[in-house]
Amino acid sequence: MPELSTAPSLGPLYLKAAATGPTRRGGELPGTEYVRRDIAVDPVELAEYNRVCGFRLRDELPITYPHILSFPASVQLMTDKGFPFPLVGLVHVANRIQQDRPLLVTDVLTQSVRVADLRPHPKGKQFDVVTETSAGGEVVWRETSTYLRVGKRDENAPQKERREIEPGSASGTWRVPADIGREYAAVSGDRNPIHLHPLTAKAFGFPKAIAHGMWSKARCLAALEGRLPDAFTVDVDFAKPLLLPSKADFTMRPAGSGWDFALHSRSGKPHLTGSVTA
């Protein structure tokens, strides 16, 4: 179980991903698990993250914040020699986070990151990046990020049932600015070119830059702030990309002891659907 003394530097990892991507032809996932200990939260960086995503300034971390702390380790895993797929072109299709209690800005954290569960997808192969975050020797936060490697279609692969929240009666309409991809990249380190500028996005087949999926998830949870319990699970499926700039309709509805929510384009196409369960 390799240990990381600091967060890996993302710039060199992105260059490595670009150089080695064409050599990756598939195969099994590696069994490597990276661990990083003694992670201190920078209050200034947290405040900037909260501003970009719409959270209030609090002593508690937003449930999505540990994702950006572990993101460099996940990129390290997906650029290691034994990883079977090129990082460029992977599609983030779903994200699940479970929080047993709120993490505090004063908590000293330990994070472990691994990849798991390579399996068929109707459009290729999918796998999970699994992250656990501990405080005081206890795991209190768990994340599963599911990525798709587009490839040979598999009609026999199981179809995931996507939550359906019909557009209409929106709780709010958001103006999403053209620079939100660059703003989120600055606070998260996720500088994928599809999020940064129309020209770099067009090089990867998008008509415009697109919003980060994890920004969209965080922004939705910020809209639910004050309605969320201390311990909950939030599941999100990412559907159509959110082009920048744009307007998007946010909808939230009570569902048992939690919430269902969605982000739609003004034409009614879903960008994201999700649920919160206590």
Side-chain angles (χ1 to χ4, degrees):
M1 188 180 297
E3 295 217 3
L4 301 171
S5 57
T6 60
S9 179
L10 287 169
L13 290 179
Y14 284 135
L15 291 175
K16 180 181 178 182
T20 62
T23 68
R24 307 202 172 197
R25 304 295 183 185
E28 296 301 314
L29 296 174
T32 307
E33 179 175 357
Y34 283 118
V35 176
R36 184 176 165 224
R37 305 181 192 277
D38 300 326
I39 303 169
V41 175
D42 185 319
V44 175
E45 293 179 358
L46 173 62
E48 189 64 5
Y49 174 88
N50 287 347
R51 180 190 67 80
V52 170
C53 297
F55 292 106
R56 298 194 299 265
L57 293 177
R58 306 172 64 195
D59 290 336
E60 297 177 0
L61 305 185
I63 191 173
T64 49
Y65 190 72
H67 170 86
I68 70 166
L69 297 177
S70 64
F71 182 71
S74 66
V75 175
Q76 174 81 63
L77 265 176
M78 291 187 285
T79 53
D80 281 348
K81 185 176 181 181
F83 191 74
F85 307 120
L87 179 65
V88 177
L90 292 178
V91 183
H92 195 184
V93 293
N95 180 271
R96 173 187 175 94
I97 300 175
Q98 176 186 330
Q99 172 179 283
D100 296 340
R101 69 157 175 86
L103 290 165
L104 304 177
V105 68
T106 53
D107 282 332
V108 178
L109 309 177
T110 295
Q111 292 190 310
S112 64
V113 183
R114 58 187 173 87
V115 288
D117 198 12
L118 181 63
R119 59 198 185 276
H121 184 282
K123 295 182 179 179
K125 297 282 189 181
Q126 60 185 331
F127 65 93
D128 299 327
V129 176
V130 180
T131 304
E132 293 185 340
T133 299
S134 303
E138 178 185 11
V139 176
V140 296
W141 185 97
R142 302 163 183 84
E143 177 187 40
T144 302
S145 283
T146 302
Y147 289 88
L148 165 66
R149 169 59 178 170
V150 176
K152 184 178 179 181
R153 298 186 68 88
D154 186 346
E155 302 298 336
N156 296 319
Q159 293 272 2
K160 181 177 180 180
E161 287 192 23
R162 193 182 297 273
R163 303 170 190 84
E164 294 295 338
I165 301 176
E166 295 299 324
S169 302
S171 308
T173 297
W174 300 341
R175 293 180 180 271
V176 185
D179 64 349
I180 197 62
R182 294 187 290 277
E183 289 226 29
Y184 185 77
V187 298
S188 69
D190 185 353
R191 299 184 183 277
N192 188 321
I194 63 177
H195 303 302
L196 302 181
H197 193 276
L199 291 179
T200 54
K202 285 178 181 178
F204 293 91
F206 295 95
K208 298 180 180 180
I210 65 173
H212 294 75
M214 289 303 293
W215 174 84
S216 299
K217 179 173 184 174
R219 182 66 185 85
C220 290
L221 289 167
L224 286 163
E225 206 168 18
R227 301 177 174 90
L228 300 172
D230 286 344
F232 67 98
T233 298
V234 54
D235 276 292
V236 159
D237 292 319
F238 301 114
K240 299 292 183 182
L242 177 59
L243 300 178
L244 301 175
S246 66
K247 291 182 180 179
D249 289 335
F250 173 70
T251 303
M252 61 182 189
R253 296 174 185 166
S257 59
W259 297 87
D260 288 337
F261 60 92
L263 199 60
H264 289 91
S265 69
R266 300 309 305 278
S267 65
K269 294 180 180 178
H271 295 302
L272 168 158
T273 56
S275 66
V276 169
T277 54

